């Protein structure tokens, strides 16, 4: 099945800094999603982005399907951005496979 | 994702108890999923229902019994659980089921945090 790898595993930022999170996947995908899991466990949809570029406020994402990677950009980070960011991908099956996540800590 | 509603939010049960987790969506989605998430780990798929029929069981122990009584509702019946089953249980749904399920985003509920004593 498809493999999903995320980097870095941990990231510590000062408030106001920018960051880039990376997701590599092993096969062609027709579903790729970025999620933010907050400290209370809520898994929040950030982007559905099997290809192309999308922006939502301070967050944007780009997926280059031909090169099998996706990037999540966070600009002007805030303490509320802290949590774990998951990338999840699905190829030809029904199974959405999650990466191990990037734990982001934004300090005031 | 508040469009997928899970109840209860927290559940504490003994190993001999029988309880059920409930998941509901009213978005007209025809695929529904159960995931299990242990602390500091990503969610892992347990079951997939497509058009109210079980299409994937990821070798889940029989002490977990899923049920999809209609297109809006998904239950997970629990019986004789073990302490290692303590986890966050997440429900998700997506708009279309087989054969086009792959290209639809999944929407997650807030989860049920389960503790087994």
């Amino acid at each position: 099945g498809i493999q999903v790898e995320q980097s870095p595993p941990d990231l510590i930022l000062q408030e106001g800094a920018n960051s880039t999170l990376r997701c590599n996947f092993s096969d062609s995908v027709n579903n790729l999603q970025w999620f933010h899991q907050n400290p209370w466990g809520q898994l929040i949809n950030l982007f559905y982005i099997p290809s192309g570029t999308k922006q939502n406020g301070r967050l944007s994402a780009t997926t280059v399907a031909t090169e099998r990677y996706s990037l999540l950009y966070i600009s002007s980070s805030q303490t509320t951005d802290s949590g774990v960011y998951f990338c999840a991908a699905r190829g030809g099956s029904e199974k959405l496979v999650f990466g191990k996540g990037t734990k982001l800590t934004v300090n005031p | 994702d508040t469009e997928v509603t899970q109840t209860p939010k927290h559940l504490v049960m003994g190993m001999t108890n029988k309880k059920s987790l409930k998941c509901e969506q009213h978005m007209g989605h025809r695929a529904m999923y159960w995931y299990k998430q242990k602390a500091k780990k990503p969610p892992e798929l347990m079951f997939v229902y497509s058009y109210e029929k079980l299409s994937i069981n990821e070798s889940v122990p029989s002490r977990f019994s899923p049920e999809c009584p209609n297109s809006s509702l998904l239950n997970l019946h629990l019986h004789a659980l073990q302490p290692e089953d303590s986890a966050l249980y997440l429900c998700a749904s997506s708009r279309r089921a087989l054969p086009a399920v792959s290209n639809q985003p999944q929407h997650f509920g807030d989860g049920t945090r389960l503790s087994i004593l």
Side-chain angles (χ1 to χ4, degrees):
Chain A
I2 196 166
Q3 307 292 317
V4 179
E5 291 184 359
Q6 292 185 243
S7 59
D10 294 279
L11 187 57
I12 300 174
L13 301 174
Q14 286 299 122
E15 202 167 24
N18 302 330
S19 62
T20 301
L21 282 58
R22 187 176 179 101
C23 172
N24 292 332
F25 41 93
S26 61
D27 207 344
S28 59
V29 298
N30 43 28
N31 179 344
L32 189 131
Q33 293 181 249
W34 282 98
F35 298 92
H36 174 217
Q37 190 163 42
N38 63 26
W40 297 271
Q42 293 174 311
L43 200 62
I44 299 162
N45 263 318
L46 297 177
F47 294 102
Y48 167 66
I49 187 164
S51 63
T53 298
K54 291 186 179 179
Q55 179 152 9
N56 184 1
R58 296 181 295 104
L59 272 59
S60 64
T62 294
T63 297
V64 183
T66 52
E67 297 187 24
R68 299 184 183 168
Y69 72 88
S70 183
L71 302 173
L72 177 69
Y73 305 96
I74 305 174
S75 64
S76 305
S77 57
Q78 301 175 357
T79 55
T80 51
D81 294 332
S82 296
V84 181
Y85 289 79
F86 287 107
C87 168
R90 183 162 56 187
S93 75
E94 296 175 290
K95 188 174 178 179
L96 188 67
V97 177
F98 283 75
K100 292 184 177 180
T102 292
K103 183 180 179 183
L104 176 64
T105 303
V106 181
N107 293 320
Chain B
D1 286 311
T2 56
E3 295 173 330
V4 177
T5 304
Q6 290 188 243
T7 54
K9 293 192 185 306
H10 301 274
L11 179 62
V12 179
M13 58 186 287
M15 289 189 285
T16 58
N17 292 156
K18 286 185 181 180
K19 297 284 185 183
S20 297
L21 309 185
K22 180 180 172 180
C23 174
E24 201 162 3
Q25 56 86 16
H26 296 286
M27 295 180 282
H29 291 178
R30 301 308 298 274
M32 296 185 76
Y33 313 80
W34 281 115
Y35 289 82
K36 173 182 177 179
Q37 186 179 20
K38 300 284 281 184
K40 300 186 189 301
K41 297 288 187 182
E44 292 182 344
L45 183 67
M46 299 174 72
F47 301 105
V48 179
Y49 272 82
S50 294
Y51 292 102
E52 297 87 67
K53 287 186 169 33
L54 183 66
S55 61
I56 291 182
N57 176 341
E58 288 286 302
S59 302
V60 179
S62 60
R63 58 184 184 269
F64 294 91
S65 176
E67 178 197 21
C68 191
N70 60 59
S71 60
S72 300
L73 189 56
L74 184 66
N75 298 319
L76 186 62
H77 303 298
L78 314 173
H79 174 55
L81 294 194
Q82 304 298 308
E84 62 265 27
D85 297 323
S86 298
L88 179 67
Y89 288 84
L90 293 160
C91 173
S93 68
S94 63
R95 182 150 58 97
R96 288 194 294 176
L98 290 171
V101 66
S102 292
N103 60 347
Q104 299 298 322
Q106 290 188 16
H107 301 258
F108 282 79
D110 289 345
T112 294
R113 199 165 294 279
L114 177 66
S115 297
I116 308 300
L117 300 179

